[in-house]
């Protein structure tokens, strides 16, 4: 068979590709590979056999496999290194005794699919428990076994609670999906950040959510009359403070103070903290709080009417607003959610 020489410009071109490229002769001997391939298969590949790195039977004799139509389909392969990349492999015959093997990295797509699959599984699970409970009570009542009115009422109240839980969950799933898909769209209105804070605080007081809690507004800025404009969507900013304040109330000791504090250390940004005193969050969980359905104590969150999606929604709204959130917590003491918003001149 003729000795194959690959022109230099092919080598240069191959470096421009955003996928791995390996050129082989019919017996799988590697003639050329681009830089990206090094990340997938390692370096010093020239002259070695592709089967040593990608043990696919069809690569033993590329010509024969090509003639059998084996390369009409693509192959999947997982790298053996620590990253366990998922590669899709496509093979094309370029000319006699010359094959191009394209390595497409599908790892992030695979991870994304996994996140989606997990999310669907979680949603189904979360919906199933209230639904099972509802079906159980409906059957019991339909059987006519519960005669006394007091027990019937008790069952109906539980059913009402479960139906509301499903409703909350669906509302949160829809909110999350909306903010996630729109997180790259920067809002085009500027609003005073003080308004949503005060609006949410008074609506929480009106709803009587805070029971014996003391809701305190602390403005530590030098100029408290400054409106503090940020680029923002008012409904979404409201949602952030509703979620943070509802959590602060839910997870705090009875009759304790819940503080919303505003600070401004420079002209560029404003920091708003929601502080409560409660059991607190162990440090190892702090990074996970904004994951969908993550709850430190699942039973407690359920009992308090939580869906496990509140902070995930907050996270995506903040990304959209170029704002950042810092969480700190001491066991049986203060938990602080601090958000830094970039300021605008209006
Ligand atoms: P949930 O609906 O369960 O409240 P979130 O996404 O709003 O879901 O919060 C996730 C978890 O973070 C909660 O289940 C709780 O364990 C923890 N958490 C949130 N806010 C606080 C807080 N202020 N104090 C203590 N734990 C909190």
């Amino acid at each position: 068979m003729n000795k194959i020489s690959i022109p230099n410009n092919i080598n240069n071109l191959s470096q421009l590709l955003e996928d791995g490229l390996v050129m082989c002769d019919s017996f799988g001997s590697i003639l050329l590979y681009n830089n990206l391939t090094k990340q997938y298969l390692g370096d010093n590949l020239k002259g070695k056999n592709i089967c040593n790195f990608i043990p696919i039977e069809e690569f033993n004799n590329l010509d024969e496999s090509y003639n059998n139509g084996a390369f009409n389909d693509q192959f999947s392969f997982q790298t053996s290194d620590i990253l366990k990349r998922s590669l899709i492999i496509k093979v094309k015959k370029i000319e006699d005794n010359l094959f191009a093997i394209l390595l497409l990295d599908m790892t992030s797509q695979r991870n994304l699919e996994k996140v989606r699959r997990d999310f669907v599984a979680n949603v189904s699970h979360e919906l199933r428990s209230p639904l099972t409970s509802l079906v159980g009570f409906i059957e019991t009542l339909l059987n006519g076994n519960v005669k006394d009115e007091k027990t019937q009422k008790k069952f109906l109240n539980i059913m009402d609670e479960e139906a509301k839980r499903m409703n909350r969950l669906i509302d949160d799933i829809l909110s999350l999906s909306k903010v996630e898909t729109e997180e790259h769209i920067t809002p085009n209105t500027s609003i005073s950040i003080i308004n949503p804070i005060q609006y949410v605080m008074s609506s929480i007081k009106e709803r009587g959510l805070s029971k014996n809690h003391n809701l305190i507004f602390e403005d530590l800025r030098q100029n408290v009359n400054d409106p503090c404009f940020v680029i923002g969507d008012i409904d979404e900013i409201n949602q952030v403070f509703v979620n943070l304040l509802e959590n602060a109330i839910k997870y705090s000791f009875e009759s304790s103070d819940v503080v919303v504090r505003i600070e401004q250390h420079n002209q560029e940004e404003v920091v708003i903290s929601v502080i409560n005193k409660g059991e607190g969050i162990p440090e190892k969980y702090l990074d996970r709080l904004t994951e969908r359905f993550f709850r430190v104590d699942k039973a407690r969150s359920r009992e308090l009417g939580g869906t496990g999606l509140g902070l995930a929604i907050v996270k995506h709204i903040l990304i959209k607003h170029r704002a950042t959130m810092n969480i700190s917590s001491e066991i049986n003491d203060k938990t602080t959610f601090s958000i830094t918003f970039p300021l605008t001149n209006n």
Side-chain angles (χ1 to χ4, degrees):
M1 226 174 257
N2 296 338
K3 187 158 173 14
I4 307 287
S5 75
I6 297 181
N8 240 346
N9 53 4
I10 299 269
N11 188 7
N12 294 342
L13 272 177
S14 76
Q15 304 304 344
L16 295 177
L17 286 178
E18 292 189 3
D19 299 304
L21 176 73
V22 183
M23 306 277 263
C24 297
D25 69 14
S26 300
F27 294 98
S29 184
I30 298 174
L31 306 164
L32 173 149
Y33 56 98
N34 67 354
N35 279 332
L36 216 66
T37 303
K38 291 183 203 167
Q39 289 181 23
Y40 305 154
L41 307 181
D43 205 355
N44 298 322
L45 306 177
K46 239 178 194 168
K48 295 186 181 155
N49 199 289
I50 186 71
C51 297
N52 296 334
F53 305 96
I54 307 178
I56 292 178
E57 211 186 311
E58 285 79 355
F59 286 2
N60 289 330
N61 187 332
L62 289 149
D63 244 341
E64 196 178 287
S65 304
Y66 173 77
N67 291 334
N68 294 338
F71 297 143
N72 294 340
D73 296 324
Q74 54 193 24
F75 301 85
S76 304
F77 175 70
Q78 192 175 62
T79 59
S80 53
D81 60 1
I82 192 164
L83 293 174
K84 301 256 172 289
R85 291 178 199 268
S86 289
L87 301 182
I88 292 276
I89 300 176
K90 293 180 181 176
V91 186
K92 290 271 173 266
K93 183 168 179 169
I94 306 294
E95 57 183 56
D96 264 359
N97 203 21
L98 184 61
F99 286 82
I101 300 177
L102 209 57
L103 311 171
L104 316 175
D105 188 359
M106 305 302 283
T107 316
S108 44
Q109 280 91 331
R110 183 199 62 185
N111 291 346
L112 211 65
E113 271 165 30
K114 184 174 179 318
V115 170
R116 286 217 181 98
R117 271 200 309 273
D118 288 353
F119 183 61
V120 172
N122 276 329
V123 167
S124 320
H125 175 76
E126 296 288 335
L127 280 172
R128 183 153 297 141
S129 20
L131 195 59
T132 309
S133 156
L134 265 179
V135 170
F137 283 113
I138 290 171
E139 276 174 2
T140 312
L141 289 174
L142 279 177
N143 284 344
N145 294 335
V146 184
K147 301 275 188 260
D148 77 292
E149 214 171 292
K150 210 169 143 204
T151 315
Q152 280 179 3
K153 186 103 193 261
K154 189 174 143 206
F155 283 7
L156 283 168
N157 278 330
I158 299 174
M159 289 164 71
D160 183 46
E161 206 30 69
E162 296 293 12
K164 283 182 182 147
R165 178 197 299 285
M166 289 173 76
N167 224 353
R168 273 197 303 274
L169 190 61
I170 290 165
D171 281 348
D172 278 358
I173 291 167
L174 291 177
S175 296
L176 182 61
S177 147
K178 183 168 178 287
V179 293
E180 251 185 336
T181 43
E182 291 177 1
E183 79 180 4
H184 61 286
I185 306 171
T186 317
N188 53 12
T189 44
S190 85
I191 56 163
S192 160
I193 196 71
I194 315 295
N195 297 342
I197 296 173
Q198 289 182 334
Y199 170 78
V200 171
M201 286 182 82
S202 58
S203 86
I204 282 187
K205 278 182 192 159
E206 264 168 40
R207 282 192 284 154
L209 265 186
S210 59
K211 293 191 186 121
N212 293 324
H213 293 101
N214 204 9
L215 235 62
I216 301 167
F217 179 68
E218 264 182 22
D219 197 336
L220 304 184
R221 292 172 304 151
Q222 248 172 9
N223 179 4
V224 291
N225 294 322
D226 184 344
C228 249
F229 283 113
V230 303
I231 299 287
D233 178 304
I234 187 85
D235 293 332
E236 290 182 348
I237 303 270
N238 276 341
Q239 179 83 63
V240 166
F241 292 117
V242 167
N243 291 7
L244 292 184
L245 271 163
E246 285 188 357
N247 277 351
I249 290 163
K250 272 193 307 198
Y251 300 109
S252 60
F253 294 139
E254 229 177 88
S255 313
S256 58
D257 289 351
V258 171
V259 178
V260 180
R261 179 179 295 159
I262 308 189
E263 288 164 285
Q264 191 181 347
H265 305 298
N266 55 45
Q267 295 301 306
E268 275 79 50
E269 48 197 30
V270 59
V271 182
I272 294 146
S273 306
V274 177
I275 307 157
N276 72 286
K277 208 168 173 183
E279 282 170 27
I281 307 161
E283 200 182 342
K284 62 179 176 186
Y285 295 133
L286 290 180
D287 283 347
R288 301 199 55 196
L289 294 182
T290 55
E291 282 174 25
R292 303 146 164 199
F293 295 116
F294 180 83
R295 284 163 280 196
V296 176
D297 180 341
K298 210 165 187 169
R300 174 108 197 279
S301 152
R302 283 229 179 115
E303 193 190 308
L304 296 168
T307 60
L309 293 175
L311 291 180
I313 294 171
V314 167
K315 173 178 128 180
H316 288 285
I317 295 179
L318 295 184
I319 291 175
K320 178 171 176 173
H321 288 79
R322 311 286 181 265
T324 53
M325 180 161 72
N326 187 50
I327 311 172
S328 62
S329 186
E330 290 160 51
I331 299 300
N332 289 324
D333 207 333
K334 272 188 202 162
T335 293
T336 306
F337 285 76
S338 286
I339 303 178
T340 305
F341 282 100
L343 285 169
T344 175
N345 295 331
N346 185 14

